[in-house]
Amino acid sequence: MLRVCVIGMGPIGNRHADIYCEDALSELVGVCDVIPQRADAAAQRLVEDPRGSSPQGGKGKVRAFYDAGEMLAELKPDLCSVTTGGYEYGSDHFTPTMQALEAGCHVLGEKPISNEISQAEMMVARAREKALCYGINLNHRFTPAARLAKQWQDEGRLGHLLFINMSMWIMNPAESSPYYHIKALHPHTVDVMRHFCGDVEAVQCFATKAPGRSIWSTAQFNLRFKNGVVGSLTGSYDIERGHPMERCEVAGTKGRFVIEDMWREATLYPAGNLEKTVYTNPVFGGMRDFTDTFRNRIHRFLEQVSQGASPDEIDGSGADGLAAQKVLAAAIESLETETVVYVQP
Ligand SMILES: NC(=O)c1ccc[n+]([C@@H]2O[C@H](COP(=O)([O-])OP(=O)(O)OC[C@H]3O[C@@H](n4cnc5c(N)ncnc54)[C@H](O)[C@@H]3O)[C@@H](O)[C@H]2O)c1
């Protein structure tokens, strides 16, 4: 069983902590926040109100810390989640990630890997130098529907890949930076696109501001992938949840699939054949809600680390998080300059 700590006890850190308590591969030993009340409240909740299925439930093992360095030195965990946020939801990841890597921990960081490419590059490089596993919570691809779609693709049922259309929208009224929506929401969509179509070569982006907003809260991206696939991505922070919020369509010469909400339904439309194949998330035994994307993603990281996977085998790695952020940096440059921008290698 891996001994785990979580750094950054906002809503997302608490969600990671709950999942580490439930998962049979992990034992949560410490939580940390620079806001003492947040660390204390999380530790108290995890000890006093253990989840029913928790293998360690109620044993009082989760300790609260207000300083990540102190926690790492005292508890010496095998693995850490870094669930801090900050400016553009990513500026606070760097320091605790580097601290955890220096302490010899495998790290699962939240997305965006960082709001600064240079910091993301340093984290990925440091993990590589230390031969530690570094994953990012790119949870949208860790679903049975996405797995099945990938299987269809690997079986050759799409033929030669031609195009991808991706979209995702939620309501997020925060106005922290002009590029907040692009940098903080689209690590997910770009990762899903890269998952199916590989590296992106060039990007062009237009964006708009919804009434009353000062940030680029809705955006449209055109992409060309290195393998010649062409793609489009539409995203928004302006639309209330309720109806489906995410869609991924990938097409090739032999067939096309569409995934609705990344977990609810996947449909394969074979070219020249009137019969389609539909996977629908079942009521029993399927994914219960969006939190299951976190459960699946975290379990996969625990599984890979437990099995001794090498750092470059990690699904949804730091390198994947960095590659997505470089695509978004190119999109921002395109938006500013009204040009097609090549993604930095
Ligand atoms: N994967 C997803 O689907 C998903 C969904 C929502 C949010 N997120 C990501 O999760 C992250 C956290 O989101 P949140 O809403 O919980 O944020 P939040 O701001 O509410 O919580 C972050 C916490 O980290 C603490 N913190 C910052 N620096 C610290 C440090 N060095 N040591 C210890 N504690 C520190 C802060 O005090 C704060 O309590 C963000 O990066 C966000 O982008 C991911």
Side-chain angles (χ1 to χ4, degrees), residues 8 11-12 33-34 38 83-84 89 93 110-111 137 139 294:
I12 298 298
D33 201 294
V34 289
R38 282 197 160 188
T83 51
T84 49
Y89 241 0
H93 297 333
E110 262 304 339
K111 64 82 224 171
N137 185 22
N139 44 324
F294 282 65

Side-chain angles (χ1 to χ4, degrees), residues 66-338:
Y66 315 138
D67 180 277
E70 216 172 274
M71 178 172 76
L72 292 164
E74 213 166 304
L75 299 182
K76 298 186 173 45
D78 302 304
L79 188 154
C80 258
S81 262
V82 176
T83 51
T84 49
Y87 185 63
E88 296 174 332
Y89 241 0
S91 65
D92 290 345
H93 297 333
F94 180 72
T95 304
T97 299
M98 292 302 256
Q99 283 175 299
L101 292 171
E102 291 312 323
C105 283
H106 304 288
V107 174
L108 180 64
E110 262 304 339
K111 64 82 224 171
I113 179 172
S114 170
N115 64 329
E116 297 289 345
I117 299 288
S118 57
Q119 295 196 340
E121 281 174 334
M122 282 191 266
M123 292 187 278
V124 170
R126 197 72 191 114
R128 198 168 280 150
E129 281 159 16
K130 305 265 298 181
L132 290 164
C133 297
Y134 181 26
I136 301 294
N137 185 22
L138 298 164
N139 44 324
H140 290 226
R141 63 152 110 154
F142 290 87
T143 72
R147 234 183 341 264
L148 180 62
K150 188 72 182 161
Q151 189 187 315
W152 289 334
Q153 181 185 356
D154 292 345
E155 288 167 356
R157 295 171 80 176
L158 300 191
H160 178 84
L161 282 191
L162 296 170
F163 67 80
I164 176 165
N165 290 315
M166 179 88 204
S167 49
M168 183 181 175
W169 48 86
I170 60 172
M171 171 56 76
N172 186 337
E175 295 270 313
S176 73
S177 121
Y179 304 117
Y180 178 50
H181 156 241
I182 294 176
K183 286 184 173 183
L185 182 65
H186 292 293
H188 287 309
T189 50
V190 171
D191 179 64
V192 168
M193 295 176 89
R194 289 188 67 255
H195 183 53
F196 291 117
C197 297
D199 282 329
V200 177
E201 183 176 54
V203 190
Q204 181 273 328
C205 176
F206 288 127
T208 189
K209 300 172 183 177
R213 300 209 69 159
S214 62
I215 72 168
W216 298 111
S217 52
T218 289
Q220 175 73 39
F221 312 69
N222 283 315
L223 302 100
R224 187 172 68 223
F225 293 77
K226 286 196 172 147
N227 56 8
V229 169
V230 288
S232 81
L233 164 63
T234 312
S236 180
Y237 260 175
D238 296 319
I239 305 173
E240 285 290 354
R241 287 194 179 117
H243 300 290
M245 48 163 262
E246 195 173 17
R247 182 176 186 277
C248 176
E249 174 181 49
V250 180
T253 49
K254 289 190 184 163
R256 176 175 64 94
F257 69 69
V258 176
I259 312 176
E260 295 286 354
D261 277 339
M262 294 314 293
W263 60 279
R264 212 167 40 77
E265 195 158 276
T267 307
L268 176 68
Y269 300 86
N273 179 341
L274 299 186
E275 280 185 47
K276 63 184 180 187
T277 303
V278 184
Y279 163 91
T280 306
N281 187 68
V283 177
F284 298 104
M287 289 186 60
R288 289 159 289 180
D289 55 27
F290 185 65
T291 304
D292 272 352
T293 62
F294 282 65
R295 288 193 184 94
N296 290 351
R297 195 288 163 265
I298 287 175
H299 183 72
R300 179 67 184 142
F301 191 63
L302 290 168
E303 189 176 62
Q304 289 196 292
V305 171
S306 302
Q307 290 169 352
S310 75
D312 55 8
E313 286 171 339
I314 293 298
D315 293 336
S317 64
D320 287 322
L322 170 60
Q325 231 52 35
K326 285 187 176 180
V327 172
L328 299 170
I332 290 167
E333 189 183 332
S334 163
L335 179 61
E336 284 171 344
T337 57
E338 299 228 327

